[in-house]
Structure formats: structure tokens, C-alpha cells
């Protein structure tokens, strides 16, 4: 009979189990890859960036769900790319000025991009999706420029 080992993960106020695994798998996890890396704040924050590419994948599907043409969904992705390029050029010009604070510009771009992406389920027309594509493209252009 295979013995199972229970591995708890502790966060500040929450105690919950990760999974139940067998001892031979546990030894490979322990020595092959340190699980405690996945519990650091840096790893959790970095994992949030996985949502960075979601609008690129699902914006055409949202356009299709709104009964828009397939070409309009593809146009939204193109608009993101054009606004991304224009924003990179403009922010390069702006940040050369002595009064510009790059950290503030970067943080504002991330917040604006995040808020507009958070509100995507409420967008119900092509015009609003075009505005979202422009804002999202510009915000990720600014973020990549400073990254």
C-alpha cells in the first residue's frame, strides 16, 4: 500500500493543503524543484503577469460573441498593435524631458490597462472595443518600454 503525505501551505491568515502526493513524488519535488519558491511574494506577483496576453487571445472571441464580423475582431488586435507602437514612440519622447517621472508613467499605464481590462465584460459594442484596444495597446506599450 502506498503511503500518502499531506503537505500544508501556510500563508499569513490562511492554512490550506496543496495536494496529497506519494512519498517518491514528494522526494523528487523536494530535491528537484524547491516548492518554497512558489510561495514567495515575487513568484505570486510574477504569476499575475500571465494574464498579460489574455486580451490578445480572447478579444476576437468577444467580438464574435457580440455578433460582430470576423474581420472586426481581427481589426481589434491590429489596433492594439498600432497603438502599442505609437505609445512607445511618444513615451520615448516624453521621458527624455527632465520633468518626466518614468516610474509614475509606468505605474499609471499599468493601472489604466488593468482597470480597462477588468471592465471588459461590460463592453457591448464595437466602438467601445476599439477604444479599449487603443487604451490597452498604449498601456502595454508603455509598460514594455520601461520594462
Amino acid at each position: 500500500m502506498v503511503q500518502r503525505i499531506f503537505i500544508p501551505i501556510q500563508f499569513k491568515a490562511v492554512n490550506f493543503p496543496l495536494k496529497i502526493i506519494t512519498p517518491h513524488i514528494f522526494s523528487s519535488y523536494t530535491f528537484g524543484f524547491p516548492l518554497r519558491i512558489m510561495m514567495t511574494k515575487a513568484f505570486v506577483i510574477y504569476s499575475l503577469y500571465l494574464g498579460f496576453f489574455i486580451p490578445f487571445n480572447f478579444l476576437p472571441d468577444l467580438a464574435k460573441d457580440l455578433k460582430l464580423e470576423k474581420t472586426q475582431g481581427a481589426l481589434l488586435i491590429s489596433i492594439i498593435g498600432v497603438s502599442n507602437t505609437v505609445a512607445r514612440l511618444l513615451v520615448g519622447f516624453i521621458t527624455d524631458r527632465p520633468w518626466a517621472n518614468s516610474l509614475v508613467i509606468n505605474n499609471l499605464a499599468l493601472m489604466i490597462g488593468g482597470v480597462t481590462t477588468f471592465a471588459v465584460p461590460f463592453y457591448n459594442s464595437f466602438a467601445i472595443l476599439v477604444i479599449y484596444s487603443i487604451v490597452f495597446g498604449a498601456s502595454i506599450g508603455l509598460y514594455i518600454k520601461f520594462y
Side-chain angles (χ1 to χ4, degrees):
M1 180 165 199
V2 177
Q3 179 185 5
R4 295 182 179 240
I5 297 175
F6 186 71
I7 304 173
I9 292 182
Q10 295 181 354
F11 290 100
K12 287 185 179 180
V14 180
N15 238 349
F16 66 92
L18 176 63
K19 60 169 74 174
I20 298 175
I21 53 179
T22 58
H24 59 82
I25 294 174
F26 178 71
S27 64
S28 67
Y29 278 142
T30 305
F31 299 110
F33 182 79
L35 289 175
R36 64 181 172 272
I37 289 175
M38 295 169 51
M39 293 180 242
T40 62
K41 289 180 184 177
F43 183 82
V44 171
I45 291 171
Y46 184 73
S47 297
L48 295 176
Y49 288 114
L50 295 176
F52 183 75
F53 299 104
I54 288 178
F56 295 106
N57 292 329
F58 294 107
L59 200 55
D61 291 336
L62 177 63
K64 188 172 78 173
D65 289 345
L66 293 174
K67 308 281 190 271
L68 299 175
E69 295 178 16
K70 193 173 186 178
T71 56
Q72 289 177 315
L75 180 63
L76 294 172
I77 300 299
S78 298
I79 291 171
I80 290 174
V82 170
S83 66
N84 187 329
T85 304
V86 171
R88 287 185 192 199
L89 294 172
L90 288 176
V91 80
F93 177 75
I94 291 171
T95 55
D96 283 342
R97 306 291 167 244
W99 49 264
N101 186 342
S102 300
L103 184 62
V104 171
I105 294 170
N106 184 34
N107 290 344
L108 282 174
L110 285 175
M111 286 191 321
I112 290 169
V115 168
T116 56
T117 301
F118 182 74
V120 165
F122 303 108
Y123 302 157
N124 56 7
S125 72
F126 181 68
I128 294 173
L129 288 177
V130 167
I131 293 169
Y132 166 70
S133 297
I134 292 169
V135 171
F136 180 74
S139 67
I140 63 170
L142 295 176
Y143 167 70
I144 295 298
K145 181 75 174 174
F146 291 117
Y147 189 69

